[in-house]
Amino acid sequence: DAGVTQSPTHLIKTRGQQVTLRCSPKSGHDTVSWYQQALGQGPQFIFQYYEEEERQRGNFPDRFSGHQFPNYSSELNVNALLLGDSALYLCASSPDRFGEQFFGPGTRLTVL
Amino acid sequence: AQSVTQLGSHVSVSEGALVLLRCNYSSSVPPYLFWYVQYPNQGLQLLLKYTSAATLVKGINGFEAEFKKSETSFHLTKPSAHMSDAAEYFCAVSVFTGGGNKLTFGTGTQLKVEL
């Protein structure tokens, strides 16, 4: 059984560009959450998707948006990239909105 | 608001020695608490979780944690450290809202194991 997968593994962008990160949840899971982990910090909650809708959101600007597809996979989009957006982006899936979260390996985003 | 505080950003122990990583929580409702481990350039792996059942929770790799309501603590311990335990450890609390569940993490403790 494949766990949570994320792509790409690493990504380098320049300021002002836009980026899309992808996540496939664990089999049987229908809820996807995204977290940002800056260097030396704990992960910070960005948002959670369930039934293709954003159900709750952390303290992140509108430049951060997402999408969930009918197969439960999800995308995280970040517009107008800033240097401060450089971080490890973690996706977590759970069997429902309130269930235990299983994390993927993350996507390392570097903004130059 | 629910939160966790990890005391000590860096902890160093000798191989074979006791590991103690500290976590205190703040919550107005009975909390669900977690410990995760993160190896370099990897995601988070769940070590153990407390969900209001037994207060002493056993996890993977010989780790355990005890929920102490009177002290608002959920410290992580392992009787004998192994070199492979060197990693970053995060304590987290589950925050339930009408929309779902999100994790609020501490700032992490880097564990170093020396020969």
Side-chain angles (χ1 to χ4, degrees), chain B residues 4-5 9 12 15 31-32 36 39 42 53 57-58 62-63 65 71 76 82 87-89 94 99-101 114:
Chain B
V4 291
T5 302
S9 58
S12 183
E15 192 175 33
Y32 281 20
Y36 286 88
Y39 297 99
Q42 293 188 27
V57 182
K58 294 188 183 298
F63 285 93
E71 299 176 9
L76 181 70
H82 190 272
E88 185 139 31
Y89 292 79
S94 208
N101 159 34
E114 299 174 316

Side-chain angles (χ1 to χ4, degrees), chain B residues 52-97:
Chain B
S52 73
T55 56
L56 182 63
V57 182
K58 294 188 183 298
I60 62 171
N61 302 339
F63 285 93
E64 63 181 37
E66 187 171 7
F67 175 75
K68 291 187 176 181
K69 184 178 178 180
S70 61
E71 299 176 9
T72 62
S73 68
F74 189 58
H75 301 332
L76 181 70
T77 60
K78 182 174 180 177
S80 177
H82 190 272
M83 296 296 289
S84 61
D85 295 327
E88 185 139 31
Y89 292 79
F90 292 95
C91 181
V93 61
S94 208
V95 180
F96 293 95
T97 68

Side-chain angles (χ1 to χ4, degrees), chain A residues 33 35 37 40-43 45 48 55-58 88 90 97-101 103-105 108, chain B residues 34 36 38 41-44 46 49 88 90 95-103 105-108:
Chain A
S33 302
Y35 293 81
Q37 186 180 15
Q41 301 294 319
F45 175 77
Q48 182 180 71
R55 299 293 177 169
Q56 53 176 338
R57 188 179 183 92
L88 180 68
L90 295 165
R97 284 180 292 159
F98 303 99
E100 179 182 327
Q101 297 186 14
F103 284 82
R108 173 75 62 188
Chain B
F34 304 81
Y36 286 88
Q38 186 175 39
N41 300 314
Q42 293 188 27
L44 300 173
L46 180 66
K49 59 183 178 182
E88 185 139 31
F90 292 95
V95 180
F96 293 95
T97 68
N101 159 34
K102 64 178 181 180
L103 293 169
F105 289 84
T107 52

Side-chain angles (χ1 to χ4, degrees), chain A residues 1-64:
Chain A
D1 172 31
V4 180
T5 60
Q6 293 185 242
S7 63
T9 305
H10 296 86
L11 205 51
I12 299 175
K13 293 286 188 178
T14 57
R15 281 178 297 174
Q17 285 189 312
Q18 179 263 345
V19 68
T20 297
L21 311 182
R22 295 176 176 83
C23 172
S24 291
K26 195 174 161 63
S27 177
H29 288 189
D30 63 10
T31 301
V32 173
S33 302
W34 287 92
Y35 293 81
Q36 180 196 64
Q37 186 180 15
L39 198 61
Q41 301 294 319
Q44 299 287 319
F45 175 77
I46 303 175
F47 42 53
Q48 182 180 71
Y49 275 83
Y50 171 73
E51 290 187 339
E52 302 179 49
E53 288 191 20
E54 182 183 297
R55 299 293 177 169
Q56 53 176 338
R57 188 179 183 92
N59 189 24
F60 279 80
D62 291 344
R63 298 187 297 108
F64 289 77

